[in-house]
Amino acid sequence: MTMAVSLSARKHTAGRTASRLRRQLRGRKRIFGEAERPRLVITRSAKHISAQVIDDTRGHTLAYASTMETALRGVEGDKTEKATKTEKARQVGQLVAERAKAAGVEQVVFDRAGNKYHGRIAALADAAREQGLGF
């Protein structure tokens, strides 16, 4: 299996990003989504977070949710102020779990893509578990 990310072709990548990409490659050697247990992969940027459930054997995305969707762009926080990024990540976790269950997925393999299991990543994962997605 070939990986989509090549560190040798990315000569001007910042050290922090290169370290995350190396961690991602190490994890992807072991993590593989199958039909009965697809991969829940998290993509995080400075502003947004997205999650998709992927069946790697067919190369199909079964469910997807992101903070860039119009439904989640206007999410309000606790006191009618703008929601924090962690609150939005929690909403994405709930939404992707609902959509995955609607697609018939009960168990997934969690792929944090080299990010620490902390903050927004942990909030998304916990919300998905609370909605009944097992991993």
Side-chain angles (χ1 to χ4, degrees):
M1 168 172 39
T2 60
M3 300 306 299
V5 177
S6 172
L7 290 175
S8 61
R10 297 174 172 258
K11 294 179 183 176
H12 302 291
T13 303
R16 184 174 174 169
T17 305
S19 296
R20 188 190 64 79
L21 290 172
R22 278 193 296 275
R23 285 192 305 272
Q24 183 178 10
L25 289 175
R26 270 199 315 265
R28 287 287 285 127
K29 285 185 216 174
R30 297 172 294 169
I31 297 171
F32 189 78
E34 295 158 355
E36 59 275 353
R37 196 165 169 170
R39 180 170 54 104
L40 172 64
V41 63
I42 308 300
T43 306
R44 186 183 71 92
S45 73
K47 272 187 165 182
H48 297 286
I49 192 164
S50 66
Q52 52 183 331
V53 178
I54 301 172
D55 178 5
D56 288 323
T57 55
R58 294 187 313 153
H60 283 40
T61 298
L62 306 173
Y64 173 80
S66 171
T67 55
M68 292 179 276
E69 295 179 19
T70 55
L72 291 178
R73 283 219 180 235
V75 172
E76 295 292 325
D78 294 335
K79 300 175 183 141
T80 66
E81 55 197 35
K82 290 181 88 173
T84 64
K85 291 187 272 188
T86 306
E87 290 169 347
K88 288 181 181 180
R90 198 170 288 118
Q91 292 281 332
V92 170
Q94 292 172 352
L95 193 58
V96 77
E98 289 172 9
R99 292 176 180 174
K101 288 181 74 93
V105 176
E106 297 291 327
Q107 293 284 325
V108 294
V109 178
F110 188 65
D111 181 5
R112 56 189 172 84
N115 296 302
K116 287 184 181 180
Y117 186 84
H118 177 62
R120 291 190 278 159
I121 304 294
L124 190 147
D126 292 341
R129 280 194 193 102
E130 288 170 7
Q131 289 296 112
L133 200 58
F135 56 94

